[in-house]
Amino acid sequence: MATRQRAEATGKPASPSADLAVSWRGKRFTLPSPAEFPLEALEAEEDGKHLTALKLILGADQYATWRGLASTAADAEDFSAVVMKELGRGNL
């Protein structure tokens, strides 16, 4: 059973040390474990720069892929909700 499936089955979030994979609009995105998020991403989030934080977490290539699929604030919110469901916690 995958970490995500185990988390869904038990109602517990994935391990904070496990990498995450989410699917959104037919594309798979791999994110580092929360413990491996770049400090710059956390600082950007604290400064209210949510897209900058996302870009740092996804990396340039995956961000470009995501940005090709997302064109509105609602798209960003939807993607964030998918990621947060996987993380089992608040906002990025």
Side-chain angles (χ1 to χ4, degrees):
M1 181 181 289
T3 302
R4 180 186 58 76
Q5 291 170 321
R6 186 174 295 109
E8 288 176 2
T10 63
K12 296 178 183 174
S15 166
S17 63
D19 284 351
L20 305 169
V22 297
S23 292
W24 190 72
R25 297 195 177 166
K27 298 288 184 182
R28 185 171 190 253
F29 296 90
T30 303
L31 294 81
S33 69
E36 297 298 320
F37 283 0
L39 287 178
E40 294 89 353
L42 300 178
E43 291 168 343
E45 182 63 28
E46 285 181 352
D47 290 341
K49 298 177 181 179
H50 309 293
L51 293 178
T52 299
L54 180 62
K55 187 179 212 176
L56 291 165
I57 291 167
L58 287 176
D61 291 340
Q62 287 192 115
Y63 184 82
T65 299
W66 175 79
R67 190 59 187 83
L69 299 170
S71 59
T72 66
D75 292 339
E77 288 293 324
D78 184 50
F79 183 75
S80 181
V82 170
V83 171
M84 292 309 109
K85 182 178 178 185
E86 185 66 26
L87 286 173
R89 60 189 182 122
N91 292 326
L92 279 177

